[in-house]
Amino acid sequence: MKQLSPRTRILTTAAALATVAAATFGTVSATAGTPDAAAKAAVTADAGSRHLTTSTHLNMAAATKAAEAALDAAKKENQRVTVAVVDRNGNTIVSLRGDGAGPQSYESAERKAYTAVSWNAPTSELAKRLAQTPNLKDIPGTLFLAGGAPVTAKGAPIAGIGVAGAPSGDLDEKFAKAGVAALNR
């Protein structure tokens, strides 16, 4: 067997040590981010059902179905409206602006929907409450004009449908209720 020069032996030994060091470092690095059992338990701890609530939400397909039904009801009466459907928290799920609907109708429809879901009542009924409690109108995001209807599940509000743009709130609310009714079909 051929004798290796001292230089070759040093280089071979250095390469072997570098390989061992790299493997060791890689193993330590790979396990450094792994939590120990106590930390892992804390990360995956279950809050327990007594600390949780469950809520029902209207899905996109149902919200769109309701909005389209409300818009169709308005079209049948030659009304140019905007329809908004909001979730329980007042976030807009879908908004449909009908052909020729006024620019103010978009925001009004959303605010009516938000008001209806917030109080779980048609906005026409809520508008009547202003006589006894006029400061209700000061609540941000609300609009106490007829045209909003709540959507409920098991008696609890889960969404609101707002319609704006018809010449009367009674028509707006009629169309919003057509959207609610579409969800029962």
Side-chain angles (χ1 to χ4, degrees):
M1 173 169 213
K2 187 174 176 183
Q3 188 76 315
L4 295 175
S5 72
R7 180 175 183 233
T8 304
R9 277 187 285 179
I10 291 173
L11 289 174
T12 305
T13 303
L17 288 173
T19 302
V20 170
T24 302
F25 178 75
T27 302
V28 169
S29 295
T31 60
T34 306
D36 62 4
K40 191 177 226 180
V43 171
T44 60
D46 188 345
S49 60
R50 67 185 177 156
H51 300 293
L52 304 175
T53 61
T54 302
S55 59
T56 303
H57 297 275
L58 204 58
N59 65 34
M60 176 68 83
T64 302
K65 177 182 179 178
E68 287 175 342
L71 196 58
D72 288 344
K75 283 181 187 177
K76 287 178 184 171
E77 296 193 29
N78 296 314
Q79 298 301 314
R80 298 174 178 155
V81 300
T82 297
V83 180
V85 180
V86 301
D87 67 11
R88 177 64 182 108
N89 299 317
N91 300 309
T92 302
I93 302 170
V94 66
S95 182
L96 299 177
R97 184 175 176 266
D99 294 335
Q104 78 290 353
S105 64
Y106 180 82
E107 183 179 350
S108 296
E110 284 186 335
R111 290 176 61 194
K112 288 177 182 183
Y114 173 74
T115 305
V117 73
S118 294
W119 276 274
N120 193 23
T123 53
S124 60
E125 289 179 24
L126 297 170
K128 294 173 189 171
R129 293 184 193 174
L130 287 177
Q132 293 86 28
T133 318
N135 60 342
L136 279 179
K137 69 181 181 333
D138 298 332
I139 298 172
T142 59
L143 186 58
F144 292 90
L145 297 174
V151 177
T152 60
K154 298 179 184 174
I158 61 166
I161 301 175
V163 178
S168 76
D170 292 339
L171 283 174
D172 286 340
E173 198 158 304
K174 175 183 175 182
F175 305 143
K177 287 179 178 180
V180 173
L183 295 172
N184 294 323
R185 290 184 234 138

